[in-house]
Amino acid sequence: MKKVTIQTLRKMREAGERIAMLTCYDATFAKLFDQAGLDVLLVGDSLGMVVQGHETTLPVTLDEMIYHCRAVARATRRAHVVGDLPFGSYQVSAEDAVRSAVRLVAEGGAESVKLEGGRDFVDVVRAIVRASVPVMGHLGLTPQSFHKLGGYVVQGRGPEQARRLVEDALALQEAGCYAIVLEAIPAELAGEITGKLSVPTIGIGAGAGCSGQVLVCYDMLGLDPSFQPRFVKRFAELGESTRAAASSYVAEVRGGAFPTAAQSFESQEIRLVEGAGKSE
Ligand code: KIV
């Protein structure tokens, strides 16, 4: 199986083949997504919200990102693994940023890193790329700027904001980004940016005109039935089915229906769990 690299992604963009990317935070999902043919797995700092239960992505640490990257990288054979640089790990200085990026690659097994921000971060992007770590940019609604933006608000709405976003995208490309995420911006603007760049754009809430799409995996799997933003399509209802499965389990344990003889061992059996620890 051929590994997806940043060169593969560039070729896909040139050939007009759409790039499929999902966030991923652990080995179980990584294995499933990889087998399903995802091109890119993003170990996003959105794990601060969907895995850790925070209100924003801001409290996520670099050590936590490394931990989750390692789990995803370990179970991924084909997809390109991107590690998000968390808040505070690249904003202070380019030197700091390089150190953080190198840790995500060396300790976490990430194959590239993603960071949020435009023109203010071109020096940081250059420094990380110079250290041989590929960088994915992220523009538009940048969740680490939650307080600056005043919440999770659609970006690039007026002509001035739109012009700045186009300039930021070109600046990131010029600084060496191999791809750029465009989050929560009007579809027309995302299409315009995509047309002006030679590197792929990956949209989330940015319409169909990008070179690829990304969603938070918990959102597209419907793991939180109460969360239904407009840009998310649910491809499954795992929240409802997980709750129903857990309720059945509770009922069967309480009622004595589980376990039956089929789930119990005879005293002479030595092989405790068939298939446990078996990997393909
Ligand atoms: O952290 C994340 O999940 C992201 C995606 C929404 C692009 O940055």
Side-chain angles (χ1 to χ4, degrees):
M1 191 177 303
K2 219 164 161 225
K3 188 81 182 153
V4 177
T5 63
I6 61 168
Q7 288 77 16
T8 319
L9 299 173
R10 181 179 277 261
K11 279 188 200 139
M12 287 177 76
R13 194 254 185 269
E14 284 164 5
E17 282 172 48
R18 293 219 164 91
I19 297 164
M21 165 164 146
L22 276 180
T23 67
C24 188
Y25 317 108
D26 67 34
T28 299
F29 277 108
K31 190 172 170 188
L32 293 169
F33 293 163
D34 201 44
Q35 288 169 347
L38 264 297
D39 302 304
V40 184
L41 297 184
L42 167 67
V43 186
D45 62 354
S46 49
L47 68 86
M49 299 168 81
V50 297
V51 176
Q52 298 176 334
H54 294 297
E55 289 291 317
T56 68
T57 59
L58 303 179
V60 178
T61 67
L62 183 59
D63 283 339
E64 288 165 348
M65 289 305 305
I66 290 169
Y67 171 86
H68 286 277
C69 275
R70 220 183 262 153
V72 170
R74 209 176 275 143
T76 305
R77 299 286 165 268
R78 177 185 171 273
H80 180 75
V81 177
V82 186
D84 239 348
L85 283 169
F87 183 57
S89 71
Y90 63 95
Q91 287 89 346
V92 177
S93 68
E95 201 180 309
D96 235 27
V98 172
R99 210 171 282 125
S100 304
V102 165
R103 283 195 67 200
L104 267 185
V105 173
E107 298 174 43
E111 291 149 355
S112 66
V113 300
K114 178 168 81 56
L115 59 80
E116 299 180 8
R119 66 196 70 198
D120 297 337
F121 288 90
V122 292
D123 290 346
V124 167
V125 171
R126 277 203 191 96
I128 299 175
V129 172
R130 202 180 305 127
S132 299
V133 177
V135 179
M136 177 180 277
H138 185 158
L139 291 172
L141 198 177
T142 44
Q144 291 176 15
S145 303
F146 179 81
H147 296 301
K148 185 173 157 192
L149 300 178
Y152 298 122
V153 192
V154 172
Q155 299 296 302
R157 274 212 154 121
E160 176 55 21
Q161 265 200 27
R163 187 183 58 77
R164 281 186 71 82
L165 272 177
V166 173
E167 288 173 4
D168 279 342
L170 288 167
L172 287 180
Q173 171 175 273
E174 214 269 317
C177 280
Y178 73 88
I180 300 175
V181 168
L182 300 175
E183 178 163 358
I185 66 171
E188 199 188 347
L189 174 60
E192 183 190 334
I193 293 173
T194 303
K196 283 190 154 70
L197 296 181
S198 57
V199 298
T201 56
I202 313 287
I204 172 165
C210 296
S211 325
Q213 296 292 324
V214 60
L215 282 175
V216 170
C217 65
Y218 280 41
D219 296 346
M220 60 80 75
L221 293 173
L223 274 162
D224 178 359
S226 67
F227 186 66
Q228 183 92 73
R230 179 164 156 188
F231 63 88
V232 171
K233 176 175 173 184
R234 285 202 196 143
F235 289 80
E237 294 294 345
L238 294 198
E240 290 304 349
S241 52
T242 301
R243 193 153 45 202
S247 297
S248 302
Y249 174 73
V250 169
E252 291 201 13
V253 168
R254 292 203 178 128
F258 173 85
T260 64
Q263 288 104 28
S264 307
F265 298 106
E266 301 291 332
S267 57
Q268 68 272 28
E269 266 187 281
I270 50 163
R271 207 152 43 117
L272 281 184
V273 185
E274 274 178 50
K278 202 169 63 181
S279 61
E280 279 153 32

